[in-house]
Amino acid sequence: MTLKQPARYPDLADPQARPRYTGISTFFRTAHTETLADVDIGLIGVPFDGGVTNRTGARHGPRAVRDQSSLLRRYNAATGIKPFELARIRDLGDCWIEQPFELTGALAEIEAFLRPIVEANVIPVSIGGDHSISWPILRAVAAKRPAGLIHIDAHCDTGDDYLGSRFHHGAPFRRAVEEGLIDPKRTIQIGIRGTTNDADMWGFSRDSGMRVLDMEEFHDNGWAHAVREARHIVGDGPVYLTYDIDSLDPAQAPGTGTPEAGGLTALEAIRLLRGLRGLDFVGADLVEVAPSFDPGTLTAFNGASLLFEILCLVAEAWDARKPK
Ligand code: MN
Ligand code: MN
């Protein structure tokens, strides 16, 4: 006896061949692979939330985003970008953590998982997980040359030690500057807002030379202003894009660990991302989707939708670097 086996289309050559809601979830219904041959861009789940300072649950983010990403289609109707035609995009599975209760060990595992991917010239697009994962990812991505950073978030995440830990989701970009992984003068942080623990909680951002475009400035001047500033700050060099879902207003992204009122709409975020075409992206991540606080899968769906925009940017960057 054989099970029903319709013709396979591992790279979705025919999007009509089976309904989008069927099959085992992978990011954007891409083929899952555990080898790096024939891969240009690797989508990687990082189910780790040992670095959160408040509500946990982002460890469940990759599964939820995989599931919701299956709703999305092949082409970007607004920009005309066809990411799956520009690059060979695969789901590399999860960087699952063997020692999830050991924070520094877990972060080292993430770096070790990412390094061979970067060394194989595969661009990593990682889905967390909490924001602490960006530091070990940057250790792999920016090992040879500091990257510029476009960081969209309600929080600067440039804090210092907290509750006895040097590594948590409020500190990755301070650690990255200290190690020379990112150039603070080529770093912009967009969407910053909310209450703080002290008057100068994000002083490191200012003192190190980062451009902080807070939510007030964004609201007063709009997404196009943020695009201009981001392009001006990061320039032509390599740039990493990190997207914290809590940058969105909690009305559109309630499922996250540290929500802050008064954030971006999904449309503003999409338009901001679309304005970043042509930059030299060397990697990206989407973090802090916490399904346990996400009634109706709204946050995971908006996260998947933003991830598609990010994938379009990275696919264009890969295509631009490809020897012609
Ligand atoms: Mn963050
Ligand atoms: Mn945040």
Side-chain angles (χ1 to χ4, degrees), residues 226-252:
V227 165
R228 282 191 295 273
E229 287 299 300
R231 300 186 74 95
H232 172 68
I233 294 291
V234 304
D236 296 329
V239 59
Y240 188 84
L241 174 62
T242 185
Y243 198 103
D244 187 327
I245 201 67
D246 70 27
S247 60
L248 295 187
D249 192 272
Q252 296 191 10

Short mmCIF file of all heavy atoms in Angstrom, two decimals, residues 226-252:
data_model
loop_
_atom_site.label_atom_id
_atom_site.label_comp_id
_atom_site.label_asym_id
_atom_site.label_seq_id
_atom_site.Cartn_x
_atom_site.Cartn_y
_atom_site.Cartn_z
N ALA A 226 12.45 57.96 8.19
CA ALA A 226 13.26 56.89 8.80
C ALA A 226 14.10 56.18 7.73
O ALA A 226 15.26 55.83 7.98
CB ALA A 226 12.36 55.91 9.53
N VAL A 227 13.53 56.00 6.56
CA VAL A 227 14.27 55.37 5.46
C VAL A 227 15.48 56.22 5.08
O VAL A 227 16.60 55.72 4.95
CB VAL A 227 13.36 55.18 4.23
CG1 VAL A 227 14.18 54.89 2.97
CG2 VAL A 227 12.35 54.05 4.48
N ARG A 228 15.26 57.52 4.94
CA ARG A 228 16.37 58.42 4.56
C ARG A 228 17.47 58.37 5.60
O ARG A 228 18.66 58.29 5.27
CB ARG A 228 15.85 59.86 4.40
CG ARG A 228 15.12 60.13 3.09
CD ARG A 228 14.88 61.64 2.89
NE ARG A 228 13.98 62.20 3.89
CZ ARG A 228 12.65 62.21 3.79
NH1 ARG A 228 12.06 61.70 2.74
NH2 ARG A 228 11.91 62.75 4.74
N GLU A 229 17.08 58.43 6.85
CA GLU A 229 18.08 58.40 7.92
C GLU A 229 18.85 57.09 7.93
O GLU A 229 20.07 57.06 8.08
CB GLU A 229 17.40 58.64 9.27
CG GLU A 229 16.95 60.08 9.49
CD GLU A 229 18.12 61.05 9.47
OE1 GLU A 229 19.03 60.93 10.30
OE2 GLU A 229 18.13 61.93 8.57
N ALA A 230 18.12 55.97 7.79
CA ALA A 230 18.78 54.66 7.82
C ALA A 230 19.78 54.54 6.67
O ALA A 230 20.92 54.09 6.86
CB ALA A 230 17.73 53.55 7.74
N ARG A 231 19.38 54.95 5.49
CA ARG A 231 20.27 54.84 4.33
C ARG A 231 21.50 55.73 4.50
O ARG A 231 22.62 55.36 4.14
CB ARG A 231 19.51 55.18 3.04
CG ARG A 231 18.32 54.28 2.77
CD ARG A 231 17.69 54.56 1.41
NE ARG A 231 18.52 54.03 0.35
CZ ARG A 231 18.35 52.83 -0.21
NH1 ARG A 231 17.36 52.05 0.18
NH2 ARG A 231 19.16 52.41 -1.14
N HIS A 232 21.28 56.90 5.05
CA HIS A 232 22.38 57.84 5.29
C HIS A 232 23.37 57.27 6.31
O HIS A 232 24.58 57.35 6.13
CB HIS A 232 21.81 59.17 5.77
CG HIS A 232 22.85 60.15 6.23
ND1 HIS A 232 23.75 60.74 5.35
CD2 HIS A 232 23.14 60.62 7.46
CE1 HIS A 232 24.55 61.53 6.04
NE2 HIS A 232 24.21 61.49 7.32
N ILE A 233 22.85 56.68 7.36
CA ILE A 233 23.71 56.19 8.45
C ILE A 233 24.51 54.96 8.02
O ILE A 233 25.72 54.86 8.28
CB ILE A 233 22.86 55.87 9.71
CG1 ILE A 233 22.24 57.14 10.29
CG2 ILE A 233 23.70 55.13 10.76
CD1 ILE A 233 23.21 58.13 10.90
N VAL A 234 23.87 54.00 7.38
CA VAL A 234 24.59 52.74 7.11
C VAL A 234 25.42 52.80 5.83
O VAL A 234 26.39 52.05 5.69
CB VAL A 234 23.65 51.51 7.09
CG1 VAL A 234 22.88 51.41 8.40
CG2 VAL A 234 22.73 51.52 5.90
N GLY A 235 25.03 53.65 4.89
CA GLY A 235 25.84 53.83 3.68
C GLY A 235 25.95 52.56 2.85
O GLY A 235 25.04 51.73 2.80
N ASP A 236 27.12 52.42 2.20
CA ASP A 236 27.29 51.36 1.21
C ASP A 236 27.86 50.06 1.78
O ASP A 236 27.88 49.05 1.10
CB ASP A 236 28.25 51.83 0.10
CG ASP A 236 27.67 52.99 -0.69
OD1 ASP A 236 26.43 53.04 -0.81
OD2 ASP A 236 28.45 53.82 -1.16
N GLY A 237 28.36 50.07 2.99
CA GLY A 237 29.05 48.91 3.52
C GLY A 237 28.09 47.79 3.93
O GLY A 237 26.87 47.94 3.84
N PRO A 238 28.66 46.68 4.39
CA PRO A 238 27.82 45.56 4.84
C PRO A 238 26.95 45.97 6.01
O PRO A 238 27.37 46.70 6.89
CB PRO A 238 28.85 44.48 5.24
CG PRO A 238 30.12 45.22 5.48
CD PRO A 238 30.10 46.41 4.57
N VAL A 239 25.73 45.48 6.00
CA VAL A 239 24.78 45.86 7.05
C VAL A 239 23.96 44.64 7.46
O VAL A 239 23.60 43.80 6.63
CB VAL A 239 23.88 47.03 6.59
CG1 VAL A 239 23.09 46.68 5.34
CG2 VAL A 239 22.95 47.49 7.70
N TYR A 240 23.72 44.55 8.76
CA TYR A 240 22.88 43.50 9.33
C TYR A 240 21.56 44.15 9.74
O TYR A 240 21.54 45.26 10.27
CB TYR A 240 23.58 42.88 10.54
CG TYR A 240 22.88 41.66 11.09
CD1 TYR A 240 23.08 40.40 10.54
CD2 TYR A 240 22.00 41.77 12.17
CE1 TYR A 240 22.44 39.28 11.05
CE2 TYR A 240 21.36 40.65 12.68
CZ TYR A 240 21.58 39.41 12.12
OH TYR A 240 20.93 38.30 12.62
N LEU A 241 20.46 43.45 9.48
CA LEU A 241 19.13 43.96 9.83
C LEU A 241 18.56 43.11 10.96
O LEU A 241 18.46 41.88 10.82
CB LEU A 241 18.21 43.88 8.60
CG LEU A 241 16.74 44.23 8.81
CD1 LEU A 241 16.56 45.66 9.27
CD2 LEU A 241 15.96 44.01 7.52
N THR A 242 18.19 43.75 12.05
CA THR A 242 17.59 43.01 13.16
C THR A 242 16.24 43.62 13.48
O THR A 242 16.12 44.83 13.70
CB THR A 242 18.54 42.96 14.38
OG1 THR A 242 17.97 42.12 15.39
CG2 THR A 242 18.83 44.33 14.96
N TYR A 243 15.22 42.77 13.48
CA TYR A 243 13.85 43.26 13.64
C TYR A 243 13.20 42.63 14.88
O TYR A 243 12.93 41.43 14.90
CB TYR A 243 13.00 42.95 12.39
CG TYR A 243 11.78 43.83 12.38
CD1 TYR A 243 11.71 44.94 11.56
CD2 TYR A 243 10.75 43.61 13.28
CE1 TYR A 243 10.63 45.80 11.62
CE2 TYR A 243 9.68 44.47 13.36
CZ TYR A 243 9.62 45.56 12.52
OH TYR A 243 8.56 46.42 12.60
N ASP A 244 12.95 43.46 15.88
CA ASP A 244 12.24 43.02 17.08
C ASP A 244 10.75 43.30 16.89
O ASP A 244 10.36 44.45 16.67
CB ASP A 244 12.81 43.79 18.29
CG ASP A 244 12.26 43.29 19.62
OD1 ASP A 244 11.10 42.86 19.68
OD2 ASP A 244 13.02 43.36 20.62
N ILE A 245 9.94 42.26 17.00
CA ILE A 245 8.50 42.42 16.72
C ILE A 245 7.84 43.38 17.70
O ILE A 245 6.77 43.94 17.39
CB ILE A 245 7.80 41.04 16.73
CG1 ILE A 245 6.47 41.09 15.96
CG2 ILE A 245 7.58 40.52 18.15
CD1 ILE A 245 6.59 41.30 14.48
N ASP A 246 8.49 43.64 18.86
CA ASP A 246 7.86 44.59 19.79
C ASP A 246 7.97 46.03 19.33
O ASP A 246 7.42 46.94 19.97
CB ASP A 246 8.38 44.40 21.23
CG ASP A 246 9.82 44.84 21.46
OD1 ASP A 246 10.32 45.71 20.74
OD2 ASP A 246 10.45 44.28 22.39
N SER A 247 8.64 46.26 18.19
CA SER A 247 8.59 47.59 17.57
C SER A 247 7.18 47.92 17.11
O SER A 247 6.78 49.08 17.09
CB SER A 247 9.55 47.67 16.39
OG SER A 247 9.21 46.70 15.41
N LEU A 248 6.42 46.89 16.73
CA LEU A 248 5.02 47.11 16.34
C LEU A 248 4.19 47.50 17.56
O LEU A 248 4.50 47.12 18.70
CB LEU A 248 4.42 45.85 15.71
CG LEU A 248 4.99 45.37 14.38
CD1 LEU A 248 4.14 44.20 13.86
CD2 LEU A 248 5.08 46.47 13.35
N ASP A 249 3.11 48.22 17.30
CA ASP A 249 2.19 48.54 18.38
C ASP A 249 1.60 47.24 18.96
O ASP A 249 1.31 46.31 18.21
CB ASP A 249 1.07 49.42 17.84
CG ASP A 249 0.26 50.02 18.96
OD1 ASP A 249 -0.71 49.37 19.40
OD2 ASP A 249 0.62 51.12 19.41
N PRO A 250 1.43 47.17 20.28
CA PRO A 250 0.87 45.95 20.86
C PRO A 250 -0.51 45.59 20.32
O PRO A 250 -0.93 44.43 20.40
CB PRO A 250 0.80 46.28 22.36
CG PRO A 250 1.83 47.33 22.56
CD PRO A 250 1.87 48.14 21.30
N ALA A 251 -1.21 46.57 19.73
CA ALA A 251 -2.50 46.24 19.12
C ALA A 251 -2.31 45.29 17.93
O ALA A 251 -3.19 44.49 17.62
CB ALA A 251 -3.20 47.52 18.65
N GLN A 252 -1.15 45.37 17.28
CA GLN A 252 -0.90 44.52 16.10
C GLN A 252 0.12 43.42 16.40
O GLN A 252 0.31 42.54 15.57
CB GLN A 252 -0.42 45.38 14.93
CG GLN A 252 -1.48 46.36 14.48
CD GLN A 252 -1.16 47.04 13.17
OE1 GLN A 252 -0.23 46.68 12.46
NE2 GLN A 252 -1.95 48.05 12.84
#
